[in-house]
Amino acid sequence: MTRALPAPVEALVRERAVEPGPLLWLTGAGISAESGIPTFRGPEGYWKVGSRNYHPQQLATRAAFGAMPDEVWAWYLYRRAVCRAAEPNAAHHALVELEERIGPRFRLITQNVDGLHQRAGTKRVYAIHGNIDEMRAVSGRVTAPIPAGIPTDWPKGRALTAADRDLLQVEARPARPHVLWFDECYDEEHFHFDSSLRAAAEASLLVVVGTTGATNLPMQVGMLCARHGTPSIVINPEPNPFSEVVERSGLGIFLQGTAGEWVPALAAAAAEAYAPTP
Ligand code: OAD
C-alpha cells in the first residue's frame, strides 16, 4: 500500500539534506492508527464512568484525577492494555531504519504515549506527552514503570482493587499516570519542552505525521519552523492546521493519505539524501 513519492517531494528532501540541521519528525495518534490504536479525538475515545460518558479531554485532566482517581487510573490501564496488544507498523519501522542510516541527523518528537516508536527501536525520541507505561508520585517528580503486578490486559470496566492501589505507588506515595494532562504545562524535565523547540529551531526539514495539531507544543514547533523558513512535509488523510500553513505559505508540501502510504517511501528517500557520505 506504500505509494511512490511525487518528484517535488523527492527534490525537496534532497535540497534540504544539504542544509545543516536535523531532519525533524513530529508524530501524533495517526501514525499508530494502522496498529489498531484509536486516535485521540476519533469516535472510539469516549469512556463511561457510572452513567456518564466522558470525552478524553475531560478525563485527561488533573481535575478529573483529583475528583475520581480510581476511574481515571482504570481508563489509563485499559488504554495501556490496548497499546500493549498493538504492534508497531510499517511507518514506525521505517523511522527506525532511517535513524539507523542517518544517526544524529534524525530527531523525533512524538505526542503518542503508546510507546510504539520506542518498542520499534527509535532512540532519538522526545515523548512530549509522557508514556502510558510509566507513573510518578502525585506530589513528586520521580517516575517509575507501572509495576508488573498490574495486569497488562486490563479489561474495559475492571475497577481498581485495594491491592492495585498498593502497587500504584512511587516512594510510598500514591502515583498517577506519567502523562501530560490538559490542565498542565509542558516542562523540560519530563516533557522535553526546550529540547523540542531547539530541534525545531535547528531543523533542516520538518515532517508532520497524523496529528490534528490541537496541542500547544506541536503547534509551536510548526510555527517556529515556518518562521525560520524551514519547509514542512505534512502527511494526513485530511487537511489540518499544519497542511493549511504549508498551503498558505507555500513552504513545504501536503501529502494527503495515511502514514502507511507515505512514511516508508519518504523515510527511504530521506535515508538516501541525509546519509553521511563515506
Ligand atoms: P488526534 O486524535 O487529535 O488526531 C489524529 C490525526 O491523525 C487526525 O488528524 C487524523 O486525520 C489523522 N489520522 C487518522 N488516521 C491516520 C493514518 N492512518 N495515518 C495518518 N494520519 C491519520 O491525535 P493527536 O493529534 O495525536 O495529548 O492528538 C494529540 C494529543 O491530543 C494527544 O497526545 C493528547 C491530546 O491532546 C495529551 O493528552 C496532552
Side-chain angles (χ1 to χ4, degrees), residues 27-35 38-42 56-57 60 75-76 79 89 110-113 128-129 179-182 184 186 209-216 218 235-242 257-261 263:
T27 63
I31 197 166
S32 295
E34 285 154 281
S35 291
T39 56
F40 204 78
R41 292 180 173 75
Q57 268 160 275
W75 179 56
Y76 274 100
R79 288 178 55 212
N89 63 47
T110 187
Q111 298 167 77
N112 300 341
V113 298
I128 60 168
H129 291 164
V179 294
L180 182 68
W181 284 332
F182 286 106
E184 297 181 315
Y186 289 98
V209 186
T211 175
T212 48
T215 45
N216 177 286
I235 297 174
N236 212 77
E238 48 196 61
N240 63 8
F242 296 97
T258 67
E261 282 170 323
V263 172

Side-chain angles (χ1 to χ4, degrees), residues 40-109:
F40 204 78
R41 292 180 173 75
E44 291 164 84
Y46 284 86
W47 186 255
K48 224 177 171 106
V49 177
S51 58
R52 238 188 108 179
N53 236 339
Y54 287 87
H55 190 270
Q57 268 160 275
Q58 297 170 292
L59 280 187
T61 60
R62 183 189 278 258
F65 186 77
M68 43 181 187
D70 282 12
E71 287 77 9
V72 172
W73 256 125
W75 179 56
Y76 274 100
L77 293 173
Y78 165 71
R79 288 178 55 212
R80 172 178 177 247
V82 172
C83 298
R84 280 298 187 96
E87 294 296 333
N89 63 47
H92 297 104
H93 292 303
L95 294 188
V96 177
E97 280 169 38
L98 173 61
E99 184 180 14
E100 280 165 4
R101 287 282 299 281
I102 70 171
R105 290 203 78 192
F106 175 89
R107 215 63 59 79
L108 169 62
I109 298 173

Side-chain angles (χ1 to χ4, degrees), residues 233-258:
I233 296 175
V234 179
I235 297 174
N236 212 77
E238 48 196 61
N240 63 8
F242 296 97
S243 68
E244 282 159 20
V245 170
V246 159
E247 303 213 312
R248 247 198 337 264
S249 65
L251 208 56
I253 298 175
F254 174 35
L255 285 175
Q256 189 152 14
T258 67

